[in-house]
Structures are given as structure tokens and as C-alpha cells.
Amino acid sequence: MIKYTDMHKCVVEYISAGDIEKYSYCPLSWWLSRKEGHRESEGVIKHRNIGKKAKEGMENYRKSKDFERGVMYFAVGAVLVALVGVTMLYESKVWATVFHALAILWLIISVYFLWRYDRLEEQWKGTFTRIMVMAALLSTVFSIFAVSFFMNPNYLLGYILEIASLLWLIGATYFLYESMRKGLHYSQIRQELHLPDGEIIYVDDLKKAPLLKSKKYGIVGRPDMLLKVGKEYVPVEIKTGRVPRGPLFSHIMQLTAYMLLVEENFSIPLYGLLMYGSTVYRIEYEEDLKNILLQKVEEMRKAMRTGEVHRNHNRPGKCRHCSRREICPERLA
Ligand code: SF4
């Protein structure tokens, strides 16, 4: 049980997204679950396995991207070293002059961007920094070419640089192989779990993932997964039981709680995903839905204060599927 102090300086109990799901299914089901300990149900075990797989996928994706960067650094390095090596083998005043001119041109571009930097709006500073670094780098490389063409040929140094370039290329090939291998593994895991597009940035694995908190509304939770699709954060809730004909209200409420947590901890999400096996429902994050959720949270707080909780439906089918019907005094089936 996690407690916090709200804006009225009262100590209030946080309500979890999982409890909101139970309450939305049937208030009595939630109430009875508060008296139960942690249950290692089939669903929990399935969830844990999905979490493990997704975590594995997330790590493979990150490694694949790291190796991809390695490919770029090694390949660019190899090309530059090879080019410097070639210039060591020849003497050419013409090429020396051309590269001198190019080096000065890129130096001027770099100085121009440096001069404009202070007058820029914050949003452009990152792009300008990248252009400045690129311009300064090109200027340096062209200067090296110009000096090499200007000097007398140095065959020994030229050949050493060509061999070094070859070794860098072998390094780039290794990184490419590893990047493809990890990328392939990630794709297989995504297919296996029926995951939609996007980079996995958070997985609820064995409760080690950080708990997301909303201090404003007193809600906590760990979404099964958090995807980053472009610039959007998308919470994902995976359900392992029977596949319903449409998304269930209680699951929508749970997902809405996660969207609210994403709003407070990252940025306002546009939507969340509810997954029943390979069936995926996109739930838009709308004001009406958020209001219904907050109303449910308010009702739960009232129930905790008064201890008055009852069944709120007349559907025997609901009771038949309820995991607490054995101990429920108001069950219909
Ligand atoms: S058995 Fe029926 S009334 Fe009882 S908690 Fe479950 S759904 Fe609610």
C-alpha cells in the first residue's frame, strides 16, 4: 500500500491501475481482492513470460541500434583513412589547391553558423550545432588531403593507411553482422508477441520496472509495455485470457489510467493499445474517458472511507467469469 500527501495535506492511499480494472469490472470484485494476498494465477505466469520476451526484444533492439552506429563510425573512418592513404601515394599541386579551396569554404561555412548561433531560437540550435560540427570536420579532412597531395609521395605511409582502412572495414562488417542478427531477433520476438510498430522503451518485467505515479490524481501503475512510435508514447496493455468481441470496459479503464500516467510522466499520449493475442484495439485518449476514470477513482476512495461496497450489475455471465465468485456473498452464478 503506497500513500502520499495530497494538495489538502491529507495522507491518501495511491490507487493502482490494476485495482481500477477490478473495480470497473465489479466493485465487489475489487473489494474482495483487497483481502487476498498475491495470487500466482495462470494469467500472471503468462504475463511474466510475455514481459521476459518483450524485455529480451527491447535489449536486442538497443544492441542492434548500437551496432548500427558502430557500422557508421567504422565505415566512415575506413573511407577517410583510405582516402588519406591514396593522397599519400601521389603528388599533385592541382588537387592540393582544390582541397585547400574546399577546406577554406567549409571553414567559412562553419564560422558563419557559429556567428549565427547566439541569434537562433532554441529549437534550431541542435540542427545548427550538427551542421557546424560537420562543416568543421569536412574542413579538417580536406586540409589533410591538401597537405598530403602537396607533399612528396610517401609509399610506406600510404600502404600502412590502406591496410588500416581494410582493418576498419572488417570491423564495420562485424558490426553490420551483429546489428542484423540482433535486429532479426527483435523482429522475431515482435512477430511472436504480435507487437505493433514502435520502439519498446519500457517493459513491466517481474516488477523491476519503475512504478509510474500520478501525484495529481493519486494513481500508480506499470503498463505492460510502453512503445515510442515517432515522438508519441503509447502504453500497451496485454490481456492473456479469452478474446472478447470488443475491448472490455474494465480494460479500457485500466489502459486510460496508464495513459494518464504517461501524460504526467512523459507527454500527453494520443492513444493506447489493448491487445488480446493478435487482436489489437486502439483506444483514443479523450477527455470524456479521463473524466469517467477520475469518477471511478473518486468512487473507490469513497468506498475505502465508508467500507460500503456492493455488486453494481445484474449479469450472471459476469459472475460466472469472475475469479472471486467462490468467496462472493452477492454472486449471481
Ligand atoms: S461474483 Fe459477481 S458480484 Fe461477486 S464479485 Fe464477482 S462479479 Fe461481482
Side-chain angles (χ1 to χ4, degrees), residues 3-42:
K3 294 189 171 181
Y4 76 111
T5 309
D6 73 1
M7 63 176 98
H8 308 296
K9 306 282 179 231
C10 302
V11 177
V12 181
E13 193 178 320
Y14 271 103
I15 290 180
S16 76
D19 278 348
I20 292 170
E21 187 266 328
K22 289 184 198 112
Y23 183 87
S24 304
Y25 183 78
C26 171
L28 197 48
S29 172
W30 160 67
W31 193 250
L32 295 171
S33 76
R34 282 163 59 91
K35 293 175 187 144
E36 292 172 343
H38 176 71
R39 292 196 308 175
E40 190 79 342
S41 64
E42 199 187 326

Side-chain angles (χ1 to χ4, degrees), residues 103-119 128 131-137 139:
I104 290 167
L105 177 70
W106 283 103
L107 191 65
I108 292 170
I109 292 172
S110 174
V111 171
Y112 169 75
F113 278 96
L114 192 63
W115 173 68
R116 289 282 317 270
Y117 192 79
D118 280 344
R119 298 169 178 77
F128 265 57
I131 295 173
M132 263 185 325
V133 170
M134 278 296 293
L137 210 70
S139 176

